[in-house]
Amino acid sequence: TTTTTTTTTTTTTTTTTTTTTTTTTTTTTTTTTTTTTTTTTTTTTTTTTTTSTTTTTTTTTTTTSTTTTTTTTTSTTTTESLAPRAMCEEDTDCQTNAYCFVDEVYEQANPGETRNICVCKLGYHPEEGRVAEDDIYPKSGFCVDLTKEDACRFPDMCIVTADNWGICPYCRAFKYHEDHGGELSLGLYVSGSGSSLSDLQYYKNGDSVNCGNGADRSSEAVWYCYYDAFGYPPAKPLTYLEMFWVEDPLCHYTAYLYTPLACDFAQ
């Protein structure tokens, strides 16, 4: 018996082909419009029972542009200027609580020329910038009532004598005394106009040093017509001021204030 064995060998060859797809993206941008064109190639290879699939994923990016517009508004303020006027001729040409006076000092220095000016009456002081109309010539500024407002804002009113007695009307009285440590307060203004002996200016709560009686120094002041005391001529500026002091009793003082504004013609 002959036995023949036949062996059959089956060889299966599997071939895998890999395809690489290159995608080219072209982006064209005009102003705010973005156009994206994408070409995608897909290849499917089948060998026997094996399938190879290549998938390409495309990502699209959108860029948003924001434009900000800023608007600037310009405001223009127009201020009307009041025209200057001629010099005053009568009191009604001046601001409230001021009178129209002949400027005698100017006329003395300029023979043949005449000038009138508005001057705040006694107990008042001019201040510019409060009432626009009062700042226009011939007016000389709003007349501040010194018995009602802080007169210490006007140091140009202060006067000091050769022997160092001083007063700032409606503000304070003082005396420089080197033996007592420098400036001594003779009192701070409390009340009164000083227009007469029945309406004196009162200054209280001054320094008590060296008084001996334990009392604080105090003062009073009264206005007098300059020309009644010193004569005329020559003319003095209307706001000119001189003074004379008396101490009686101890550490109490009286200031006699002389100015043309206290004369009858200025009332």
Side-chain angles (χ1 to χ4, degrees):
T1 304
T2 302
T3 303
T4 302
T5 302
T6 304
T7 303
T8 305
T9 302
T10 304
T11 301
T12 303
T13 301
T14 302
T15 302
T16 303
T17 302
T18 302
T19 302
T20 302
T21 302
T22 301
T23 303
T24 302
T25 303
T26 302
T27 304
T28 303
T29 305
T30 303
T31 314
T32 57
T33 303
T34 302
T35 303
T36 303
T37 305
T38 304
T39 302
T40 304
T41 303
T42 303
T43 302
T44 302
T45 304
T46 304
T47 304
T48 314
T49 59
T50 301
T51 303
S52 176
T53 304
T54 301
T55 305
T56 301
T57 303
T58 302
T59 302
T60 303
T61 303
T62 303
T63 302
T64 303
S65 178
T66 304
T67 302
T68 304
T69 302
T70 304
T71 303
T72 303
T73 303
T74 303
S75 298
T76 303
T77 302
T78 303
T79 303
E80 182 180 354
S81 299
L82 298 175
R85 303 162 187 159
M87 65 182 179
C88 63
E89 297 294 339
E90 52 189 26
D91 294 341
T92 54
D93 296 329
C94 300
Q95 68 270 32
T96 302
N97 293 313
Y99 299 131
C100 181
F101 294 98
V102 174
D103 188 346
E104 294 181 292
V105 174
Y106 176 84
E107 292 185 354
Q108 283 178 170
N110 300 275
E113 296 186 27
T114 299
R115 185 170 74 177
N116 299 339
I117 54 175
C118 292
V119 178
C120 293
K121 64 185 182 181
L122 189 64
Y124 291 78
H125 190 282
E127 183 177 41
E128 295 186 347
R130 290 187 46 163
V131 179
E133 175 69 20
D134 289 346
D135 293 343
I136 305 302
Y137 182 84
K139 297 179 179 180
S140 55
F142 179 81
C143 292
V144 177
D145 187 342
L146 300 176
T147 64
K148 296 180 179 179
E149 298 192 30
D150 180 15
C152 298
R153 294 187 291 118
F154 307 109
D156 59 298
M157 294 182 61
C158 300
I159 180 175
V160 180
T161 64
D163 52 355
N164 295 318
W165 294 88
I167 192 170
C168 301
Y170 307 100
C171 174
R172 67 189 184 100
F174 54 94
K175 171 75 163 70
Y176 184 82
H177 205 305
E178 188 173 352
D179 294 343
H180 300 328
E183 185 179 289
L184 293 175
S185 172
L186 306 184
L188 303 177
Y189 175 73
V190 176
S191 63
S193 70
S195 60
S196 67
L197 293 175
S198 61
D199 186 16
L200 297 171
Q201 294 175 37
Y202 290 101
Y203 298 78
K204 297 183 179 180
N205 301 316
D207 291 324
S208 60
V209 61
N210 208 43
C211 280
N213 56 6
D216 293 336
R217 284 179 168 80
S218 60
S219 304
E220 53 195 27
V222 61
W223 296 107
Y224 283 102
C225 173
Y226 174 85
Y227 296 122
D228 289 347
F230 299 96
Y232 177 90
K236 292 290 184 180
L238 288 159
T239 56
Y240 181 80
L241 177 61
E242 284 198 22
M243 65 180 172
F244 177 72
W245 284 88
V246 174
E247 180 180 9
D248 185 30
L250 180 67
C251 290
H252 180 75
Y253 310 86
T254 300
Y256 298 92
L257 307 177
Y258 300 93
T259 177
L261 280 179
C263 298
D264 289 341
F265 72 83
Q267 304 305 306

